[in-house]
Amino acid sequence: MMNGKELVLNAMNCQKTDRTPWVPFVGVHGGQLIGKNATEYLKSSAHIVQGALKAIEFYQADGIPVTFDLQIEAEILGCSLNWEKDNPPAVTSHPLASGRSLDELCIPRISEGRIPIVMEATRQLRRAKPDIALYGLITGPFTLALHLLGTEAFIQMFTDPEGLKQVIEFSNDVAKAMASYYLENGVDVVAVVDPMTSQIDSDTFKEFVTPAAKSLFKHIRENGGKSSFFVCGNAKQNIEVMCACAPDNISIDENIPLAYVRDIALKNRISFGGNLKLTIALLMGSQEEAGRDAIECIETGGNTGFILAPGCDLAYATPVENLKYVSELVHDQYARELLKLKDKSEDSYTKIDLSNRFDKGKVVIDIITLDSSSCAPCQYMVEAVKNAVEAINGNILYFEHRIKEKEGIEMMLSLGVQNLPTICINGDVCFSSQIPPKQQLIETIQKYLV
């Protein structure tokens, strides 16, 4: 019988597997497992190791990330971070938008910032679990460029595209260095997590992301590792071009139909992973709801090239019993058949009455997010709305609705939102999984002021 590492690597090679490999993306959720908050957890190699080992034990994982933190590189490069108790830190300042030049930034050394903490955790986990596929997660070059530039990067696409490409090229050099550090310390898979690519179309992707990504995946391959291209949000338009970058794996969340990704990925001889519903099923659902979602993914993904995983890093407070149940279903076909025989539970969410929400004389902007404190596209969409509202003189209110909370899910259903993040203005879906340029957003809001 294959061990977990062999299962994951076989799937990465698009080979048939006896059962579906299971990789819970445990980030700060590992802190919950050992009674530590997110800040304590991410600043201690001992805590990271303890949390990952607990997750492997509880969830019978075939693979596990060492950690899930897209701010490690950004922090070293001068971005300020806001630390929270139940989320990874969020970037709050952008050095290239506040006077620093690219020439002042250097590739992080393995001895800088929190890199030593993560590498020590990598070495300990490799020794303790040689039969588990270890994932090293790095910030993708486009998302890191956004961290360095802020939302001005979207304007720079038109005003100074060559300058933006230089920032992305530098960010890619950072990614290559981080990939090398992880591989030298024992990971099997380097996951390039680039969520901000969901905010651009395929032509923009090919111009700004493809050259860097191709080079990065070649670097990982030449250094003996497997690679995963990890995106969240509605990046359906970019799956083909992501495959063209030649990673070993594409990993997506519930914003993209799994069958769609399956067909494109396998056509290109690339494995694929996802797309368990992070909040509705795993965080806020019952065990049976989480289990049904897992079964749907397993049956859609099939037994060739598919790795079951949540769509992003697990929320801190995800119920342990939900994840244990998913694990049971992964390992026990009989348990899956029993659950399929049960009637589906009644929907526990009700729509909100919005009849009095949009009064004349004011504009109400509702931003539906996963959570802007932990999701980069969500964060930058909320920032875009804030900046646009501040530039307009008018009676404008804006609210973030996080689908980590029941109210957020019910608002999402009430507004008819299909993808995250999304901007709704006076009840109209205006920008779905797309961060608009500042002037376009201002002009759209102004139409509702008349």
Side-chain angles (χ1 to χ4, degrees):
M1 180 179 293
M2 290 185 182
N3 61 36
K5 178 177 175 178
E6 291 168 334
L7 273 173
V8 170
L9 295 182
N10 275 13
M12 284 268 179
N13 290 326
C14 280
Q15 296 175 358
K16 196 170 183 178
T17 53
D18 292 335
R19 67 166 175 82
T20 302
W22 157 232
V23 181
F25 288 128
V26 174
V28 295
H29 175 73
Q32 187 217 142
L33 299 182
I34 62 169
K36 302 294 180 182
N37 66 42
T39 299
E40 294 169 330
Y41 185 75
L42 293 176
K43 291 185 176 183
S44 165
S45 57
H47 294 341
I48 291 171
V49 171
Q50 291 167 13
L53 290 176
K54 280 282 187 186
I56 293 168
E57 174 192 352
F58 283 180
Y59 308 142
Q60 303 178 72
D62 299 305
I64 202 85
V66 177
T67 191
F68 203 120
D69 181 352
L70 301 188
Q71 288 65 238
I72 293 173
E73 302 95 321
E75 182 181 28
I76 297 170
L77 294 170
C79 296
S80 299
L81 302 185
N82 179 48
W83 288 87
E84 296 195 8
K85 292 185 175 181
D86 58 359
N87 276 316
V91 168
T92 58
S93 71
H94 315 287
L96 298 184
S98 56
R100 294 185 68 180
S101 70
L102 187 61
D103 292 339
E104 297 177 60
L105 302 183
C106 299
I107 306 297
R109 296 186 296 271
I110 197 169
S111 59
E112 289 187 274
R114 288 182 289 123
I115 297 176
I117 292 172
V118 177
M119 295 306 147
E120 175 60 27
T122 302
R123 290 189 293 270
Q124 290 189 32
L125 287 169
R126 181 74 292 161
R127 290 194 295 268
K129 294 293 179 180
D131 295 337
I132 294 293
L134 271 189
Y135 281 58
L137 272 58
I138 64 176
T139 311
F142 189 69
T143 295
L144 184 55
L146 265 290
H147 284 336
L148 297 176
L149 284 164
T151 54
E152 291 300 308
F154 292 109
I155 298 173
Q156 202 168 335
M157 285 179 182
F158 305 99
T159 61
D160 183 17
E162 294 308 312
L164 177 57
K165 289 174 184 177
Q166 289 178 9
V167 177
I168 293 173
E169 184 178 353
F170 169 79
S171 299
N172 200 47
D173 289 340
V174 173
K176 287 179 179 178
M178 290 295 293
S180 294
Y181 300 155
Y182 269 117
L183 290 168
E184 290 164 4
N185 283 279
V187 304
D188 305 292
V189 180
V190 175
V192 178
V193 189
D194 217 343
M196 294 306 298
T197 59
S198 65
Q199 302 300 303
I200 56 178
D201 61 32
S202 60
D203 288 337
T204 304
F205 187 106
K206 284 187 282 189
E207 180 178 0
F208 290 98
V209 180
T210 295
K214 278 187 173 180
S215 173
L216 178 54
F217 292 124
K218 180 181 178 183
H219 173 83
I220 294 168
R221 186 163 51 250
E222 289 177 344
N223 283 273
K226 291 292 184 182
S227 61
S228 177
F229 206 164
F230 196 131
V231 65
C232 62
N234 185 14
K236 185 177 180 180
Q237 74 281 5
N238 289 331
I239 299 302
E240 288 274 12
V241 289
M242 288 171 69
C243 288
C245 294
D248 295 299
N249 174 267
I250 299 285
S251 191
I252 52 99
D253 71 10
E254 65 262 34
N255 277 281
I256 312 175
L258 187 60
Y260 177 85
V261 176
R262 176 198 64 204
D263 294 345
I264 293 176
L266 292 181
K267 179 183 69 175
N268 289 277
R269 292 295 299 166
I270 291 172
S271 69
F272 61 106
N275 64 344
L276 286 166
K277 295 182 177 65
L278 200 66
T279 58
I280 294 177
L282 295 179
L283 176 62
M284 303 184 70
S286 66
Q287 287 185 44
E288 289 191 353
E289 287 168 333
R292 288 191 180 92
D293 187 42
I295 290 173
E296 182 178 352
C297 289
I298 290 169
E299 294 183 346
T300 302
N303 60 0
T304 301
F306 175 59
I307 298 170
L308 180 68
C312 195
D313 60 322
L314 292 163
Y316 181 88
T318 302
V320 171
E321 295 308 315
N322 281 5
L323 292 165
K324 284 185 174 181
Y325 189 50
V326 169
S327 173
E328 178 186 347
L329 296 175
V330 167
H331 289 85
D332 188 343
Q333 183 178 358
Y334 179 65
R336 295 199 298 273
E337 295 302 323
L338 281 179
L339 179 57
K340 286 163 65 176
L341 292 174
K342 294 183 179 180
D343 293 330
K344 289 188 176 181
S345 59
E346 293 182 4
D347 186 5
S348 58
Y349 301 108
T350 57
K351 291 186 177 181
I352 298 170
D353 182 2
L354 302 177
S355 58
N356 297 317
R357 185 174 181 81
F358 311 115
D359 297 329
K360 290 183 178 180
K362 70 178 180 181
V363 173
V364 176
I365 303 174
D366 294 298
I367 316 159
I368 311 299
T369 71
L370 174 62
D371 184 343
S372 65
S373 67
S374 61
C375 162
C378 301
Q379 174 189 347
Y380 289 122
M381 183 170 275
V382 172
E383 283 186 14
V385 171
K386 177 178 180 290
N387 292 337
V389 170
E390 289 176 350
I392 302 173
N393 182 21
N395 186 7
I396 307 168
L397 303 174
Y398 68 92
F399 306 90
E400 178 186 2
H401 307 279
R402 309 177 184 203
I403 69 161
K404 284 185 176 180
E405 301 160 0
K406 184 177 181 181
E407 182 274 341
I409 295 173
E410 293 181 339
M411 183 61 79
M412 178 182 73
L413 295 172
S414 303
L415 291 167
V417 169
Q418 300 296 320
N419 303 112
L420 299 177
T422 287
I423 297 171
C424 298
I425 305 177
N426 282 6
D428 298 331
V429 174
C430 293
F431 300 98
S432 177
S433 193
Q434 173 197 3
I435 299 173
K438 182 177 179 180
Q439 191 56 40
Q440 182 184 0
L441 182 53
I442 288 173
E443 291 172 358
T444 304
I445 295 171
Q446 287 173 330
K447 291 178 183 176
Y448 286 85
L449 283 170
V450 296

